[in-house]
Amino acid sequence: MKTKELIKSTGATFTPKGLADYLTSRILSYVDREDVSVLDPACGDGELLLSMGEHLAARNIDFILNGYDLNNEYLSIAKERSYQFGELKIKLVNGDFLEVVDINHNQLALNFFGAKANGINESVDIVIANPPYVRTQILGTEQAQLLAQKFDLKGRVDLYYPFLIAMTASLKKGGIIGVITSNRYLSTKSGESVRKFLNENFEILEIVDLGDTKLFDAAVLPAIFIGRKRGNAKTISDAAKFIKIYEELNGYNGDLKPAANIYEVLDTSDSGYFNVNGKRFKKTDGVLICRTTKGYSWELLSDSESLWVNKIDNNASCLVGDLFKVRVGIKTTADKVFINDEWDKLGTEKPEVSLLKDLISQENIGRWGTTAKATLQILYPHYNKDGNKTTIDIEQFPKAKKYFEKFEARLKERKYLIDAGRKWFELWVPHNPDFWNLPKLVFPDISLSPRFYFDEGGKLVNGNCYWIVAEMKESVEKLLLIQGVSNSKLMTKYHDLVFNNKLYSGRRRYFTQYVERYPLPDCNSPISQAIIEIVKKLNTENNARKITLLEEQLEIKVAEAFGVSPIFKLD
């Protein structure tokens, strides 16, 4: 048999047996038939099909296992592993499942039985799958365009989305699908089309957000979707169960329930905190709320969590997005050329000082100020002339010209910039040069904790951060209110519950779509004014003890503004 080392050398990631068995058992809890046909459209080494066959045989259910994969070496492993079921029970095909699906005619050319039989839509009772999690764009322009046309895809989408469409077409009405995908579609704006598709085509039975449990070697955080194919499309979902489980990194010191592994945690009816081999995990379960309102994600909250979130929402006066636009920072598309923390080492070849601007970046931003970890500057060849963003005349800056010319070949590789009629030494996204001198709130895209920093020093913002600018003087205090609320533990808890988008090791994403939906109290209320005054002190205080005391006062006032108890420690 081929070894796992051969498989790993290709970059493929397959489902571990424990996860395969868990998914199989959950799917079969909804199956009540004496014979079934099963499909895995990207079966790899056959782990999911093998698990399904073993469980069905143990239940004395007759079955046929159908599998597709592009890699014949993987299929040879799957065939060898499945000989125990007999040749008549396993049909494996070396081919691209997405190519043979006839979506336009609502028909599948599965061809599991060779030329003697016609494969049609609604041909299988169960789909079990762990499809690829890659962007369609990495397949190459031609293949990506073909997929987009066939499956009516728009923009940057993951490959599992066309797989979901094709797998749905293969299922009989009332058939069960159990699929492992990235969990991103549960909460992101880009996942809205996936949520809509699943909600319309399935009675959603279970969602299991596996979070950062690292059950298998994948760069993304996985989730399980289990659904029953509807007889007719509906836009209102039935009640569904959810489980979510994440490593506990907030310092919880309460009681822990022992568990041998994550699967034991998933199988138990208990929720709460668990100790798994020395690591702490928090498991939450409840009823999934599938919001269909545009811009809103599905809600994976327990009853108590939902009450808390609703109380904050009901006591809010507005959202951040009602007051400001959240922008992503500068995009150079050639950071190593434009950004440096050692410009002085160039000596006489250093570009003109007037073009070097201080830069706020992921590396040097703090909660109430910048840090000394990295003193970054960006070579910024733009300015504002008569109200219009303008690129410098490079002939007027001979040192910058000489510097750019050293990287001319690299910069001219940015064909998209040249095709847009831009100068080869420009930034791809420089923003409005006049905005940099205005008061602004800056925060990193990825961070363990909130770091919303108020800048009045004219710094520029790197593309790994977002920023909110006060274009009018009267908007400055609103920025300070947002800073205070956003840096609070209360809003961190709200962020975790509502947007449910943590990465590995407890890191959080601070997308535009999330921060624009942060609730705010009435900006003119006495409580908001008190928050603003505390924030002003925090932005100028350097004493660590005084900062701690001020942050405690901030938590009390933010909680009071939303009518809930203050949070001094995240659970």
Side-chain angles (χ1 to χ4, degrees):
M1 180 182 287
K2 302 291 193 305
T3 65
K4 290 289 184 180
E5 283 69 28
L6 169 66
I7 293 173
K8 288 180 179 178
S9 70
T10 67
T13 300
F14 293 139
T15 313
K17 178 173 173 52
L19 185 54
D21 288 340
Y22 175 77
L23 178 56
T24 294
S25 66
R26 294 313 307 147
I27 291 172
L28 293 182
S29 70
Y30 297 100
V31 174
D32 184 18
R33 292 176 57 89
E34 294 182 356
D35 61 280
V36 295
S37 58
V38 182
L39 167 68
D40 183 346
C43 66
D45 67 347
E47 192 68 64
L48 290 171
L49 288 177
L50 190 70
S51 176
M52 184 62 72
E54 290 172 347
H55 281 70
L56 289 168
R59 299 182 186 207
N60 294 318
I61 298 174
D62 195 19
F63 61 88
I64 294 178
L65 304 178
N66 305 299
Y68 251 84
D69 204 276
L70 279 168
N71 191 304
N72 207 30
E73 290 186 338
Y74 300 165
L75 281 180
S76 67
I77 298 172
K79 286 177 182 178
E80 187 174 339
R81 301 181 75 195
S82 58
Y83 278 155
Q84 59 180 292
F85 303 129
E87 291 186 7
L88 296 178
K89 289 186 179 293
I90 184 83
K91 309 293 181 182
L92 300 178
V93 179
N94 180 215
D96 188 341
F97 180 72
L98 296 181
E99 285 187 5
V100 299
V101 175
D102 189 349
I103 295 298
N104 292 330
H105 297 92
N106 196 25
Q107 181 174 332
L108 286 180
L110 294 178
N111 196 25
F112 288 123
F113 306 97
K116 295 180 180 179
N118 292 321
I120 60 173
N121 67 304
E122 299 180 354
S123 62
V124 296
D125 303 294
I126 296 172
V127 170
I128 184 169
N130 181 8
Y133 301 170
V134 298
R135 292 285 192 185
T136 55
Q137 283 75 7
I138 75 164
L139 303 175
T141 302
E142 183 178 354
Q143 191 173 355
Q145 288 175 348
L146 288 173
L147 277 176
Q149 182 178 8
K150 181 170 184 175
F151 293 95
D152 193 26
L153 307 176
K154 296 177 176 63
R156 293 168 58 84
V157 298
D158 284 319
L159 193 55
Y160 70 78
Y161 186 18
F163 265 97
L164 283 173
I165 297 170
M167 290 186 291
T168 301
S170 74
L171 263 180
K172 297 175 183 177
K173 292 177 181 177
I176 303 297
I177 188 173
V179 59
I180 305 168
T181 70
S182 161
N183 71 354
R184 282 175 56 83
Y185 78 89
L186 295 173
S187 59
T188 61
K189 185 177 180 180
S190 61
E192 194 166 298
S193 57
V194 178
R195 295 193 296 272
K196 183 175 184 292
F197 175 83
L198 294 174
N199 205 36
E200 289 179 345
N201 287 278
F202 291 94
E203 173 195 350
I204 301 173
L205 302 172
E206 296 183 22
I207 295 287
V208 183
D209 181 358
L210 296 168
D212 54 358
T213 51
K214 299 180 182 177
L215 290 180
F216 61 100
D217 184 20
V220 300
L221 275 66
I224 290 172
F225 173 88
I226 299 175
R228 179 182 287 112
K229 186 176 177 180
R230 297 187 187 278
N232 296 297
K234 295 175 70 175
T235 56
I236 300 176
S237 177
D238 307 280
K241 297 182 291 184
F242 80 82
I243 293 173
K244 63 180 178 181
I245 179 167
Y246 282 79
E247 187 175 358
E248 205 299 304
L249 296 170
N250 290 323
Y252 173 79
N253 291 315
D255 293 336
L256 296 169
K257 302 170 187 176
N261 51 50
I262 293 296
Y263 306 115
E264 187 175 309
V265 177
L266 292 170
D267 281 330
T268 181
S269 59
D270 294 340
S271 58
Y273 295 88
F274 294 81
N275 184 338
V276 181
N277 298 321
K279 285 190 174 183
R280 297 173 299 179
F281 290 91
K282 181 181 180 182
K283 175 188 174 187
T284 309
D285 54 23
V287 176
L288 177 73
I289 298 177
C290 296
R291 297 186 182 184
T292 56
T293 307
K294 186 175 177 60
Y296 284 83
S297 59
W298 289 350
E299 189 174 285
L300 283 72
L301 301 176
S302 66
D303 290 344
S304 61
E305 289 171 342
S306 185
L307 285 172
W308 186 83
V309 167
N310 287 335
K311 191 166 188 179
I312 289 175
D313 288 342
N314 291 335
N315 282 308
S317 174
C318 63
L319 305 178
V320 167
D322 297 330
L323 303 178
F324 296 99
K325 177 181 179 180
V326 177
R327 297 173 168 88
V328 71
I330 282 171
K331 297 290 185 182
T332 72
T333 62
D335 283 359
K336 290 183 178 179
V337 176
F338 290 96
I339 299 173
N340 202 330
D341 61 351
E342 297 180 331
W343 288 106
D344 287 340
K345 287 188 175 182
L346 296 180
T348 57
E349 295 183 356
K350 176 182 176 181
E352 286 78 2
V353 173
S354 62
L355 299 182
L356 296 175
K357 311 292 183 182
D358 291 339
L359 184 70
I360 308 171
S361 187
Q362 166 77 30
E363 304 93 314
N364 62 8
I365 190 172
R367 189 189 301 263
W368 309 111
T370 54
T371 69
K373 288 184 178 179
T375 306
L376 296 174
Q377 287 189 311
I378 183 169
L379 179 54
Y380 188 71
H382 302 275
Y383 68 103
N384 212 319
K385 180 180 180 181
D386 300 328
N388 296 312
K389 179 176 60 192
T390 307
T391 304
I392 62 168
D393 179 357
I394 195 66
E395 300 300 330
Q396 300 298 316
F397 296 89
K399 292 182 179 181
K401 179 183 178 182
K402 185 177 180 180
Y403 174 82
F404 279 134
E405 285 174 344
K406 290 196 300 183
F407 303 98
E408 185 170 357
R410 165 70 183 88
L411 295 176
K412 285 186 174 178
E413 287 176 357
R414 303 179 299 164
K415 193 172 182 298
Y416 46 86
L417 189 142
I418 307 298
D419 290 345
R422 309 268 296 279
K423 292 183 173 64
W424 59 270
F425 55 86
E426 289 188 42
L427 306 184
W428 176 235
V429 181
H431 289 297
N432 184 339
D434 281 350
F435 279 0
W436 301 122
N437 290 318
L438 298 176
K440 55 186 173 290
L441 200 59
V442 187
F443 52 95
D445 169 24
I446 299 174
S447 182
L448 285 169
S449 59
R451 290 183 282 156
F452 286 73
Y453 160 65
F454 180 70
D455 174 62
E456 289 184 294
K459 297 182 179 70
L460 279 61
V461 180
N462 201 2
N464 56 23
C465 295
Y466 293 90
W467 57 300
I468 305 169
V469 62
E471 297 182 48
M472 297 178 290
K473 187 176 181 180
E474 55 268 29
S475 298
V476 174
E477 290 208 338
K478 293 177 182 176
L479 282 189
L480 296 173
L481 176 63
I482 294 171
Q483 184 187 16
V485 171
S486 300
N487 277 336
S488 70
K489 289 183 174 63
L490 181 146
M491 192 50 58
T492 301
K493 179 178 179 178
Y494 182 95
H495 182 109
D496 290 348
L497 291 178
V498 175
F499 308 122
N500 192 44
N501 196 251
K502 280 188 181 178
L503 303 173
Y504 287 118
S505 304
R507 294 175 299 156
R508 297 174 172 88
R509 296 301 301 266
Y510 289 89
F511 289 137
T512 295
Q513 67 199 69
Y514 299 157
V515 175
E516 285 187 343
R517 284 180 50 202
Y518 275 15
L520 293 173
D522 181 357
C523 298
N524 298 313
S525 69
I527 296 177
S528 291
Q529 291 302 309
I531 292 172
I532 291 167
E533 290 306 311
I534 294 171
V535 169
K536 288 178 179 178
K537 294 177 182 177
L538 281 165
N539 283 335
T540 58
E541 184 59 66
N542 294 315
N543 183 281
R545 175 170 171 73
K546 290 182 179 179
I547 288 174
T548 298
L549 293 173
L550 286 168
E551 286 181 332
E552 289 178 357
Q553 294 176 29
L554 178 67
E555 293 295 343
I556 292 170
K557 286 301 178 183
V558 170
E560 184 181 348
F562 291 111
V564 295
S565 299
I567 296 174
F568 297 114
K569 190 172 184 179
L570 293 168
D571 57 10

